[in-house]
Amino acid sequence: MGWRRGSRLSAAVGRARTVGMEGERPAAQPRSSGLPAGGAGGENLGAGVSHPGSSGSSVLLPAEVLDLDEDEDDLEVFSKDASLMDINSFSPMMPTSPLSMINQVKFEDEPDLKDLFITVDEPESHVTTIETFITYRIITKTTRGEFDSSEFEVRRRYQDFIWLKGKLEEAHPTLIIPPLPEKFIVKGMVERFNDDFIETRRKALHKFLNRIADHPTLTFNEDFKIFLTAQAWELSSHKKQGPGLLSRMGQTVRAVASSMRGVKSRPEEFMEMNSFIETFSQKINLIDKISQRIYKEERDYYDEMKEYGPVHILWSASEEDLVDTLKGVASCIDKCCKATEKQMAGLSETLLPVVHEYVLYSEILMGVMKRRDQIQAELDSKVEALSYKKADPDLLTEEIGKLEDKVECANNALKADWDRWKQNMQNDIKSAFTDMAEENIHYYEQCLATWESFLSSQTNLPLEETSEDKS
Amino acid sequence: MTENNFSLKKIEISVSEAEKRTGRNAMNMQETYTAYLIETRSVENIDGQSVLTDSLWRRYSEFELLRNYLLVYYPHIVVPPLPEKRAEFVWHKLSADNMDPDFVERRRIGLENFLLRVSSHPILCRDKIFYLFLTQEGNWKETVNETGFQLKADSRLKALNATFRVKNPDKRFTDLKHYSDELQSIISHLLRVRARVADRLYGVYKVHGNYGRVFSEWSAIEKEMGDGLQSAGHHMDVYASSIDDILEDEEHYADQLKEYLFYTEALRAVCRKHELMQYDLEMAAQDLASKKQQCEELATGTVRTFSLKGMTTKLFGQETPEQREARIKVLEEQISEGEQYLKSKNLEGREFLKNAWADIERFKEQKNHDLKEALISYAVMQISMCKKGIQVWTNAKECFSKM
């Protein structure tokens, strides 16, 4: 019965997915260009008929290939080929990581399936009499028919992103909407417009939009399309439409009320999901703290190391016979210092943002669970009301019917999205830590080379010196 | 027991053990101290086998006594330093406690090093007291004190005075003094920075250990990723614990630098002795000159210099010729003595300069060699650390990529 809504989606051939069942990997999401987009607002569900599509072998392709979470780096995407590289790289630093090359090979066998490319760049400061704010340039390139043009350039501010997220959550309460970067960084940051802060935010916003673009359902959301394409005034006027503040507040009140009633019978799979989310949230938060701490300790180490090399140079000034050795040691230390700097940069580009994103994701997951529970609670309360014969039984039965549909859709949507999310999470985490390990290996290799070269220069002495008196 | 023993046989000395002891000190209060076992082996030239000839226990204060004795009796020698009495330049892991086993171990090595330095010094190795230190457990302290070396020691005050007032010290020694000041300052600085770097590095490694714990807990809820996480976590633990050995090795490097830090004090002691001798020489020469002048004045009757005798003569009247004769005679005797004294002091001074400078040259070569070796060993340590790092992270990367 939940398939009534789903049929709308199945019309959007090529976008549908199999319903995620427990333990099963979802089929890949083939996307052929030029097909009409799926639904606008309303309940776009991940449920639908499985589509064989052009990638009949899609089941063999690991979902990660087509989970096109872009790297954060500057992506001047002007040709599909360039973006092909981006699609296949798991991290900005490692376009040639073995895994990405495997995927690249596989991908070349497939037709180009991605048809929406988004970049976020060029932060600009705007000053008005009331406030100062930053806008980001958003460039969209697409071959989709439902877009009026193939290229769009707009400017958006953080508030606009918040609006978009809100709309997506409204439309798809049990889908896992990607996280936005925080409003403020709690510790340390005083200035809102610090360069590092802006850059970090820009990268996160870029990731946010691309995650939406890669999501089989969200990518066709109408508000998303407007966000990407509308001019500033068009967006403002569109924002003003839609359920007003009061109705939104009403929703919130209902939500709180029903959540307070508690979930009587959460299905087993969602109990498991919930327990996973709780543990995951705990662990990812710890990992985030540990990773930040490592960065800090490395920074402190780097600061001390900077002083260490020069001391040897100072010493060499008073030792005629040890000048070369001392200067050699100083030079090695300085080189290792630079290598540390590089490694730290790598850490903050690859590991830290990913871990942090998943910290935010864990909060989102809890929200999604709550909303699912709330939807179920609505049904439960009506069922309860029916049993107490409080109101007109026929009306109630009809309402219950509708709510049962709603619950089933919500559950299915969540289940499918959950599997997809888990798969992405595994890939992202795996790739982030692999990159970190690679950075560390590279760091030690650099230092090793430095010291080995110094050592060989010291031990290949001319004959006179080796016959020196050994005390 | 002749002093020439050492020149005939090769001697191996080791400080092989350290033991905690309790006893009563001079004020009859109970105290805990560490005693060190010194074993001496003589290597028979014929078959190269070493035979244990002596073994006794000494505590740190006895080493100090030995060294103070050597300082007094060999002022022209750069006497090897003892390892530090208290742990300095510590970073947070090392305690500053003298009873800490790591500290005791490092001190044991330092004491052994001291004895080896003394025994390989061409002059010091022949010293009888040193020989007795290695061979005569009981009564050694009394024997040393009986030499009366404490009385022979130059007073600090005298030395300080000489340092300020000396007019013509040998330039080489002035330069040496500056060098030793610079060396002390730079090595201190280096050791301080090294300790801070070590501290920070410790932090970096140890925090990674937390990954191990969390990965392990996380792996419990992951089906596919679980194994990879778990084994990666193990490697994080290995990484975190590897820093302990790395820094322990570095501590030995720091000790090698510290030895030369303390050597600077020995260098300065030799310079001070030179200044003292030079000052005495200058004072003796000055004294002689003034006496000669007095003599001349008395003989010729002219008073150019102020003298008490001159004053009283003015006040109370001329002295008799007989009195004057007597005075001249005394002065002449004094002058003759003074000239002898000056001659011997001069000789002493030149001898000292020659011997001291020879030892300083020997020391310089030793220092250059040792410091170079130490710096190279530091590079070797870094290489080892890097190799370990590569190993661990390669393993971890493999685990991660299997997740």
Side-chain angles (χ1 to χ4, degrees), chain B residues 157-193:
Chain B
L157 201 58
K158 225 173 120 196
L160 204 61
N161 184 46
T163 304
F164 281 129
R165 296 215 182 154
V166 69
K167 297 200 181 81
N168 275 330
D170 186 300
K171 186 171 187 299
R172 293 175 300 174
F173 284 83
T174 316
D175 291 343
L176 185 67
K177 209 166 62 154
H178 289 149
Y179 168 76
S180 68
D181 287 339
E182 267 173 33
L183 189 66
Q184 177 181 33
S185 153
I186 203 84
I187 294 185
S188 305
H189 188 193
L190 196 148
L191 287 171
R192 266 196 302 273
V193 177

Side-chain angles (χ1 to χ4, degrees), chain A residues 17 25-29 58-69 90 103 419-420 423-424 427:
Chain A
R17 304 178 48 180
R25 285 245 180 99
Q29 312 117 38
S58 63
V59 175
L60 298 176
L61 267 179
E64 68 225 39
V65 172
L66 296 174
D67 175 9
L68 309 170
D69 289 315
F90 288 100
N103 292 328
D419 289 333
R420 180 178 173 273
Q423 191 59 50
N424 283 353
N427 295 334

Side-chain angles (χ1 to χ4, degrees), chain B residues 12 41-44 47-52:
Chain B
E12 280 173 18
R41 289 177 161 71
S42 71
V43 183
E44 300 295 333
D47 53 8
Q49 295 274 15
S50 73
V51 175
L52 183 67

Side-chain angles (χ1 to χ4, degrees), chain B residues 21-38:
Chain B
R21 300 240 180 112
T22 49
R24 294 210 172 268
N25 68 5
M27 286 168 281
N28 211 32
M29 293 186 340
Q30 189 144 55
E31 57 167 2
T32 320
Y33 63 90
T34 313
Y36 300 88
L37 178 65
I38 304 174

